Amino acid sequence: MASSDISVDVRPDFNSLDHFLSMRYIATDRPWLKLYGIRVQPVLPFRSLSCKPDPAPIHQCLPDELLLEIFTRMNPYTLGRAACVCRKWKYTARNPALWRAACLKTWQRSGMEANYMIVRSLYDSSWRRMWLQRPRIRSDGLYVSRNTYIHTGVTEWQFKKTVNVVCYYRYLRFFPSGKFLYKISPDKVKDAVKCMHFRASKADCVFKGDYILSEDGQIEMALLYPGHRYTLVRMRLRLRGTTVGANNRLDVLKILTTGVNATELKNWTGSILELVEGWEEDETHDPDVPAVSHSRGLSPFVFVPFEEADTSVLNLPVEKMDYYVPG
């Protein structure tokens, strides 16, 4: 493959560093480039139902072991798209080793032994079925909640009182380790995705917390707002999907803010979620910060993959989309 085939064309108008860094979300994924210099093991040749030689040129030039190596470097969603290409790719993508690696990475907190017991007892030893049916939080993008409310302006001179539509977003990014990032901002998805990482500065207002996912699809989350008075945010969400295995929606069941004692935090060494375990909903450990259950800003979260952050419909301004139905 020539070097011009894998080069990135940086145009003169891409002067800002932020725009250059955002190009990794729209660049084409080429897993086969990682195969140079790697010794691969041979696999059994694919046999169709008719046992006739495959006439496709790509199958005549690409050995089965290289095809399997390329598939091992794909994420499960890209692997699902590849399975729709032809019959040979479909059966190659059904290889249990591919889905076993994806499941063990996604549910790494459960442990390897526990995952093997779950797949045998609940999913008939099918790792692919486990991937599709078991509740799973996606980590290859952001969960975005778009919220709007009406704000009444003031009357000036002879003009009538104005009415403004205020739009803001809640952003969530989950990690398999049990950590998540949280941000509330009026910035669009294409701008907020650039700072949703652990290296974000304080000016980005990205906060880190802990979460746990139950087998029935409910998510318990907790994070701490630093400041003069510590404020603890507790959220309870329900995971669902528009199709089987999508896991692309989060329904907000509860958002609570409560106070926490600074001395208690200083002596605590575990996670924030372990600290609030067993607390009541109206419980607070700081009299100056009462417990409040929020009833606004509870729009469901919609999953947006990183590669669709620039083209998502959630980037539309208010005048083009005054409301959004997540489905």
Side-chain angles (χ1 to χ4, degrees), residues 162-215:
T162 59
V163 176
N164 303 315
V165 179
V166 182
C167 178
Y168 68 97
Y169 302 85
R170 298 182 189 268
Y171 295 100
L172 287 173
R173 181 181 179 183
F174 295 92
F175 296 88
S177 60
K179 301 293 183 180
F180 75 93
L181 298 178
Y182 179 66
K183 178 181 176 66
I184 299 180
S185 173
D187 297 336
K188 300 294 189 297
V189 182
K190 60 183 179 181
D191 299 322
V193 71
K194 302 174 184 178
C195 62
M196 292 297 290
H197 50 77
F198 288 110
R199 300 182 303 275
S201 62
K202 292 184 178 180
D204 295 325
C205 297
V206 178
F207 302 97
K208 182 178 66 174
D210 302 285
Y211 77 92
I212 185 172
L213 173 65
S214 61
E215 290 298 329

Side-chain angles (χ1 to χ4, degrees), residues 149-297:
Y149 65 91
I150 303 298
H151 177 71
T152 305
V154 297
T155 305
E156 296 182 358
W157 301 96
Q158 71 274 15
F159 298 100
K160 297 182 179 180
K161 185 179 295 186
T162 59
V163 176
N164 303 315
V165 179
V166 182
C167 178
Y168 68 97
Y169 302 85
R170 298 182 189 268
Y171 295 100
L172 287 173
R173 181 181 179 183
F174 295 92
F175 296 88
S177 60
K179 301 293 183 180
F180 75 93
L181 298 178
Y182 179 66
K183 178 181 176 66
I184 299 180
S185 173
D187 297 336
K188 300 294 189 297
V189 182
K190 60 183 179 181
D191 299 322
V193 71
K194 302 174 184 178
C195 62
M196 292 297 290
H197 50 77
F198 288 110
R199 300 182 303 275
S201 62
K202 292 184 178 180
D204 295 325
C205 297
V206 178
F207 302 97
K208 182 178 66 174
D210 302 285
Y211 77 92
I212 185 172
L213 173 65
S214 61
E215 290 298 329
D216 59 352
Q218 289 210 9
I219 309 173
E220 293 289 340
M221 309 169 58
L223 63 93
L224 188 67
Y225 278 148
H228 179 66
R229 295 175 179 174
Y230 289 102
T231 302
L232 192 65
V233 182
R234 301 162 60 190
M235 290 185 285
R236 185 179 300 117
L237 310 176
R238 182 176 61 243
L239 181 66
R240 63 181 176 91
T242 54
T243 58
V244 178
N247 297 294
N248 54 358
R249 297 291 187 272
L250 290 177
D251 295 326
V252 182
L253 304 180
K254 185 78 67 174
I255 296 181
L256 301 171
T257 55
T258 183
V260 61
N261 195 339
T263 306
E264 187 178 10
L265 283 176
K266 184 178 180 181
N267 300 327
W268 185 259
T269 57
S271 65
I272 299 297
L273 197 60
E274 296 174 349
L275 175 65
V276 300
E277 185 177 0
W279 284 24
E280 301 293 337
E281 292 186 356
D282 57 348
E283 183 176 353
T284 180
H285 289 203
D286 188 352
D288 297 330
V289 184
V292 178
S293 177
H294 297 268
S295 58
R296 294 185 177 181

Side-chain angles (χ1 to χ4, degrees), residues 12-22 194:
D13 54 346
F14 291 168
N15 294 324
S16 64
L17 179 61
D18 293 340
H19 192 94
F20 180 76
L21 294 176
S22 65
K194 302 174 184 178

Side-chain angles (χ1 to χ4, degrees), residues 117-175:
M117 294 178 60
I118 291 175
V119 73
R120 291 171 184 171
S121 59
L122 300 179
Y123 303 102
D124 297 333
S125 299
S126 174
W127 293 99
R128 182 175 177 273
R129 182 180 301 177
M130 178 178 174
W131 174 267
L132 293 176
Q133 298 180 3
R134 187 179 180 184
R136 165 181 42 83
I137 300 179
R138 299 182 60 172
S139 58
D140 57 331
L142 302 179
Y143 286 92
V144 185
S145 173
R146 185 181 186 271
N147 300 272
T148 57
Y149 65 91
I150 303 298
H151 177 71
T152 305
V154 297
T155 305
E156 296 182 358
W157 301 96
Q158 71 274 15
F159 298 100
K160 297 182 179 180
K161 185 179 295 186
T162 59
V163 176
N164 303 315
V165 179
V166 182
C167 178
Y168 68 97
Y169 302 85
R170 298 182 189 268
Y171 295 100
L172 287 173
R173 181 181 179 183
F174 295 92
F175 296 88

